Amino acid sequence: MAKEHMSRGSNAVVKSTANRIIDMIVVLVCLIAIAVCLLPMMNVLAVSLSSKAAITRNLVYFWPVDLDLEAYKSVFNDSGMRHTLWLSVVVTVTSTLFCMLMTTLCAYPLSQRRFPGRALFNTLIILTMYFNAGMIPDYLNIKRLGLLNNFWVMVLPAGISVFNMIILKSFFRNIPESLQESAEMEGASHWTILSRIYLPLSTPALATIALFYAVGRWNGFQDVRLYVTDPKLYTIQFRLYQIIMRQASTDANMEGVQLLVDSDSIRAASVMFATIPILAVYPWLQRYFVSGVTIGAVKG
Amino acid sequence: MLMEDAARNAAQKKRGSATLKLMRTNYSLYIMLLLPLAYFITFRYIPMTNIVVAFKDYSIFKTVWESPWAQTGGSLDLFKYFKQAFKSAEFLRVLGNTITLNFLDLAFGFFFPVILALLLNEITFRKFKRFTQTVLYMPHFLSWIIIYGMAAQIFAPQSGVINIMLRNIGLGPIHFLDDKLLWIFTYVFLGIWQSAGYNTIVYLAAITGINPELYEAAEVDGAGRLRKIVHITLPGIRQTIVVMLILNMGRILQISFDRPYALGNTLVRSVADVISTYVYRVGIVAQQFSLTTAVGLFQSVVCLIFLIGANIITEKLGEKGIW
């Protein structure tokens, strides 16, 4: 008896040391992963905030040397860049509102159990997830609609992401039917049920997909590259791409862009201009998207 | 018999009129769907009609329908542009590059999220877990242009922080973005950097689905943490891993535009040019619409077949499938 007791005790000691070692390894590997994620961003931030002299002397690592806001000032003083930033904000807000409206209008009917034709509509919509026309047929369509070099080309074609629609639809389907039934008893229309019951109860899902739409639009590059050649309609991503590629000189007719050529700190500051809005909305929406994504993945 | 038929007819009529009644009481649902349906027709289904361009000698001076069917030497040759693509060394190289890059993404990138998810699950300090997740998910929300900007900065041969550090220990400079072989490495690395954290979500969800009694039982049997990982957590998410692997293999010909386009440059074009960038360059820039529509259609059809195949395989494996 005593012997058995003793061996159990030593087992526990062995186990707790083993546990501590595992804990340490886990924390260590996580810290490395965190560093790999953050250090590139910190380097770019540091370069954007450092003086040109410090950068040319290769003194900047992950912390600003000779704090200097000159790069931000020259990016922001460039009227083309200011216009681009403003346009990107307008495009992102317009597109997100439009997408939310369209996605809600699509998800609500498809979430209804007593809706003849639902299966057909559902299939027609889901099919577009698995087969798309392709880059050139889409381009020819946009061209025929007269949307090339048009503000709305950055809003309308992205109207509904089927993936986001499914997230919202599954969320709607989890709302207890009894709530809707009692509202129907009192003669509430679908519009009332949607706006008074479904939308207020779905804020997590709405926040999640609004984040997806907004970030997707802010980050969008391909459609601008394909459909826009007018510098007045360039978004931040497109302008940033040009700055990085040192192609800004080809747009020298846009006032002052020439100044943007050939400077690490200005390139870094431009990257930060494109990144900061995302970092700003990210933390307080982060708590929503994990649940949102999981619903979409499980119930797709 | 007759009676039965009549009864069946009546039942059918009743069901029919019930459907009609449902349609009438729920007419506002159809009104709601009008705009979304108009959207899907205008931007998803009508473009599909333009696929005929792949079988026509399309010219920008005529409409899609006015353009004549594809011909060679005066005789009808509907698959002319498909043949042309597969005879072109450039397209074959692009096809090879697409498969190579996707394969390397899968070979090197697939298991990172699995390992990260197992690690995250082992963090005992909740706040640290939350913080780690917040940081690791973030790169997913950065555009490829931003990532390219960061990469161009930190990998710069002279002023980039990596090469500064290498120089301090007497190495380099290493041309991460201009050397063909290193470019492939950088492309794969940046892909992992961007998505490994975010892709843990699906595995973490699978881990929360594991019955906690299994862990309790294992504890009673005296299993340590490593044994629990190997014998409970891993088998618990095995099916998710298999499904994700098959789905990713089904996407071997699918490639985004932003990532290869942003990261690529003329020095590395021979390894970086993939289907999406080729279609853009040859189609939209050089206006060879029929050829590139054919290439795009080939890609879409192969992707669809692979996806259906992937779904059949996952269903055979006893999974729920993806739709």
Side-chain angles (χ1 to χ4, degrees), chain B residues 291-313:
Chain B
L291 174 66
T292 45
T293 306
V295 167
L297 179 60
F298 162 76
Q299 184 195 23
S300 298
V301 169
V302 172
C303 283
L304 188 67
I305 293 169
F306 279 16
L307 198 70
I308 293 169
N311 192 48
I312 290 171
I313 294 170

Side-chain angles (χ1 to χ4, degrees), chain B residues 109-256:
Chain B
F110 182 77
F111 286 100
F112 266 88
V114 180
I115 295 163
L116 275 179
L118 292 176
L119 272 170
L120 285 169
N121 190 49
E122 290 303 317
I123 299 179
T124 34
F125 186 38
R126 291 213 115 194
K127 276 190 180 157
F128 181 63
K129 180 179 176 183
R130 192 139 193 87
F131 174 73
T132 312
Q133 280 175 296
T134 306
V135 172
L136 294 188
Y137 293 163
M138 193 167 39
H140 175 81
F141 293 93
L142 302 178
S143 78
W144 276 104
I145 309 300
I146 293 174
I147 296 174
Y148 173 51
M150 290 183 175
Q153 180 63 52
I154 64 167
F155 291 133
Q158 294 308 319
S159 57
V161 67
I162 305 256
N163 274 313
I164 292 175
M165 291 197 285
L166 286 173
R167 208 179 305 137
N168 290 346
I169 54 169
L171 290 171
I174 295 179
H175 292 257
F176 288 97
L177 285 160
D178 301 333
D179 178 88
K180 284 172 193 164
L181 210 63
L182 282 170
W183 183 87
I184 296 176
F185 161 81
T186 312
Y187 175 92
V188 173
F189 168 78
L190 290 174
I192 296 170
W193 185 82
Q194 191 233 17
S195 63
Y198 191 77
N199 288 341
T200 59
I201 291 179
V202 63
Y203 299 112
L204 288 172
I207 290 174
T208 41
I210 296 172
N211 186 353
E213 281 172 24
L214 290 174
Y215 290 105
E216 284 157 25
E219 228 155 278
V220 172
D221 290 342
R225 273 167 85 178
L226 268 179
R227 299 199 89 187
K228 278 190 270 181
I229 296 174
V230 174
H231 293 291
I232 302 173
T233 315
L234 261 181
I237 62 171
R238 195 187 57 209
Q239 285 188 321
T240 312
I241 297 173
V242 172
V243 170
M244 296 303 285
L245 187 63
I246 293 170
L247 281 182
N248 277 309
M249 290 199 291
R251 293 194 192 116
I252 194 88
L253 268 195
Q254 230 171 48
I255 195 146
S256 77

Side-chain angles (χ1 to χ4, degrees), chain A residues 2-296:
Chain A
K3 208 175 169 188
E4 202 186 329
H5 188 78
M6 256 176 60
S7 79
R8 239 191 229 160
S10 69
N11 249 347
V13 172
V14 168
K15 218 184 275 169
S16 74
T17 29
N19 267 347
R20 222 165 287 155
I21 291 170
I22 292 175
D23 271 337
M24 266 155 56
I25 294 172
V26 165
V27 169
L28 192 71
V29 177
C30 284
L31 286 176
I32 293 172
I34 290 172
V36 171
C37 274
L38 288 184
L39 287 180
M41 290 186 225
M42 286 181 68
N43 173 249
V44 175
L45 182 64
V47 169
S48 75
L49 288 169
S50 297
S51 71
K52 273 195 179 143
I55 297 167
T56 38
R57 280 162 57 214
N58 294 334
L59 295 175
V60 184
Y61 292 90
F62 303 107
W63 207 254
V65 180
D66 296 343
L67 195 66
D68 186 344
L69 292 172
E70 212 41 57
Y72 287 88
K73 277 183 202 150
S74 54
V75 171
F76 205 73
N77 281 337
D78 179 84
S79 64
M81 191 63 178
R82 252 203 331 264
H83 173 81
T84 293
L85 282 167
W86 172 240
L87 178 87
S88 301
V89 171
V90 174
V91 167
T92 304
V93 171
T94 316
S95 163
T96 307
L97 290 175
F98 177 69
C99 291
M100 293 304 286
L101 173 78
M102 293 290 276
T103 308
T104 311
L105 287 179
C106 188
Y108 178 80
L110 295 181
S111 74
Q112 294 297 301
R113 286 160 184 86
R114 279 164 296 154
F115 174 36
R118 192 189 69 183
L120 174 72
F121 294 132
N122 213 13
T123 314
L124 281 177
I125 289 167
I126 303 271
L127 271 182
T128 63
M129 254 180 132
Y130 298 101
F131 190 84
N132 59 356
M135 192 187 283
I136 303 297
D138 276 339
Y139 176 82
L140 295 175
N141 185 50
I142 296 291
K143 196 175 162 195
R144 194 174 47 197
L145 292 170
L147 284 173
L148 292 182
N149 279 324
N150 185 319
F151 172 85
W152 294 100
V153 81
M154 297 183 275
V155 175
L156 301 178
I160 299 174
S161 137
V162 179
F163 178 78
N164 288 347
M165 194 277 290
I166 289 172
I167 292 181
L168 190 60
K169 190 183 77 176
S170 344
F171 214 90
F172 282 170
R173 297 207 84 170
N174 282 341
I175 290 171
E177 232 177 321
S178 54
L179 280 178
Q180 181 173 352
E181 275 163 9
S182 57
E184 274 168 359
M185 296 273 215
E186 286 165 30
S189 71
H190 279 298
W191 299 98
T192 316
I193 293 169
L194 173 61
S195 60
R196 296 282 168 78
I197 298 175
Y198 276 67
L199 291 185
L201 285 175
S202 311
T203 33
L206 293 170
T208 307
I209 63 171
L211 167 78
F212 284 157
Y213 279 130
V215 170
R217 183 59 270 170
W218 181 264
N219 282 342
F221 171 76
Q222 182 180 352
D223 54 350
V224 186
R225 170 84 273 187
L226 263 58
Y227 306 141
V228 172
T229 46
D230 177 0
K232 284 202 188 71
L233 288 174
Y234 285 168
T235 59
I236 177 72
Q237 303 295 332
F238 196 82
R239 182 78 67 183
L240 178 59
Y241 178 73
Q242 287 187 321
I243 291 170
I244 302 168
M245 293 294 284
R246 313 272 160 107
Q247 279 177 348
S249 54
T250 54
D251 279 318
N253 51 347
M254 289 287 288
E255 325 85 287
V257 177
Q258 198 89 55
L259 289 173
L260 290 178
V261 181
D262 244 349
S263 159
D264 275 10
S265 60
I266 284 179
R267 177 173 63 191
S270 308
V271 170
M272 293 319 295
F273 267 110
T275 314
I276 287 165
I278 292 173
L279 298 185
V281 296
Y282 174 69
W284 61 272
L285 280 163
Q286 191 236 351
R287 60 195 180 112
Y288 290 138
F289 73 72
V290 175
S291 58
V293 171
T294 321
I295 292 169

Side-chain angles (χ1 to χ4, degrees), chain B residues 1-11:
Chain B
M1 276 300 259
L2 255 168
M3 285 259 285
E4 257 172 48
D5 273 359
R8 200 179 301 140
N9 271 343

